[in-house]
Amino acid sequence: MTSAASILLVDDDFHLADSMAMWLREMGYEVVTAESLGTAKSSLRKRSFDLVITDLRLGHEDGFDLIAYSRKEHPDTSVLVVTGYATPATAVEAVRAGAYDLLTKPLIDEELTLAIERSVHQRKISQENETLRQQLDRRSGMENILSHDYRMLKVFDVVDSVADARASVLITGENGTGKSMIARAIHSRSARRSGPFIEVACGALPDNLLESELFGHVAGAFTGATGNRLGKFQLADGGTLFLDEIATATPAMQVKLLRVLQEFQFEPLGGSETHSVDTRVILATNEDLSKAVASGAFRQDLYYRVNVVNIVIPPLRERVGDIPLLVDHFLREAAEASDRDIDGFDREAIAALQSYGWPGNVRQLENVVERAVLLSRNSTLTMEDLPPELTGRNGDVTFASSAIDSASSPTRSLSDLSGRSLREALEGPERIIILQSLREHQWNRAATAEALDINRTTLYKKMKRLGLDDPRLQYAS
């Protein structure tokens, strides 16, 4: 029994109510009595109660009105009905109206005590569940965004503040810092959470395909357009559209984006019908858009439109204190996925992880931890399990040594060309150039293709032909 529980006792029979109140107080409850519906409502407006015990007949008034009022104005308060005119149908109706239980007069002390204890206990459970739900809601969408850094905590506060706003949000930060996760967190914590979340990597598509991807197209709009197709803006209607790598949009695409962000209206590619959407837009870039505006590469009016709220994600090297937390999280995930029993990194290895610059940020850290778990033979991970770029050691796994030897000795290379075709002779230097660029861009193939001024399909074919598609190469020196 909860002795501190408060009860509002409502009955038009004053003597019965007074007698029952006295008995309940002796049981340890705090009791307030009311003789009418108006008095009961007045008491409920003044304070909250754990439980309302009411008769269904209050003179000429109906106890169902009190049940409805309590359910609407005080949903956390349980209602226990006590009546001398109960039928099975009355009991069902009372429970449907919001009553926790119904007892019939004359009352049995033990029956009433048990009913009160159950209702008060149920109220406590409901309150605990609500508290838990609120705690989960506060973390909803940010379950995998782990940080103790004060700048990231400020980011979390901004996410909460702008989650339900209609305004565009611009997320900036280096590659691998988690811009997509922040965008998803904003969506998950907004009133649009039940709607779609659609992500588009603007840099991965040429301009004409990007326009079709975003706005859709009609049949015959271009070669191969055999039917109408909805764009991402329409598919994200009622939800959130996340435009990543927005700085790569061409001037023509920037004009189209400016209009849809201002008016939320557009025409599909090749069509004349105007469509309106209710789509929340979040954008991201790893570039400094203010510099792009100054150089003329990015429209100033579009910059002001997308930069209503700017969330800046700090790079991992500036929040070293988060590294042990992230390492522990990634280690547990990798160990579980590979069915390995791993205790963790030793102090020297953790120190090395914290002293590294992390050009690939959190994404690179995750890869390093996964590599260590997969390649280590021991339960404790050490410096030996870290890749060469973190330790300064030469890698113990080497690939294409003949190509590297040839590059370091031009005279020898020239002497070995006899009997080889030009393509075969160029494979060694070509492989070295591609491998070096892949490493410089943390094996990001899109960035590598752009740096080498070739398209991604060509890069993939070359990597396969030159043996660079082996995933173990990522962990070699």
Side-chain angles (χ1 to χ4, degrees), residues 340 345 367-376 381 385-386:
R340 295 287 308 278
F345 288 91
N367 291 338
V368 166
V369 173
E370 183 179 8
R371 171 193 185 274
V373 170
L374 291 174
L375 300 183
S376 176
L381 306 179
D385 300 306
L386 298 179

Side-chain angles (χ1 to χ4, degrees), residues 8 10 34-46 58 61 66 69:
L8 175 61
V10 187
E35 299 178 27
S36 65
L37 182 62
T39 308
K41 289 182 178 180
S42 177
S43 296
L44 285 168
R45 281 192 290 267
K46 292 177 182 177
L58 302 172
E61 297 173 321
L66 181 58
Y69 176 83

Side-chain angles (χ1 to χ4, degrees), residues 398-405 431-432 435 466 468 473:
T398 58
F399 297 87
S401 57
S402 59
I404 297 174
D405 290 342
R431 187 182 193 281
I432 293 172
L435 180 58
L466 299 171
L468 294 174
L473 274 171

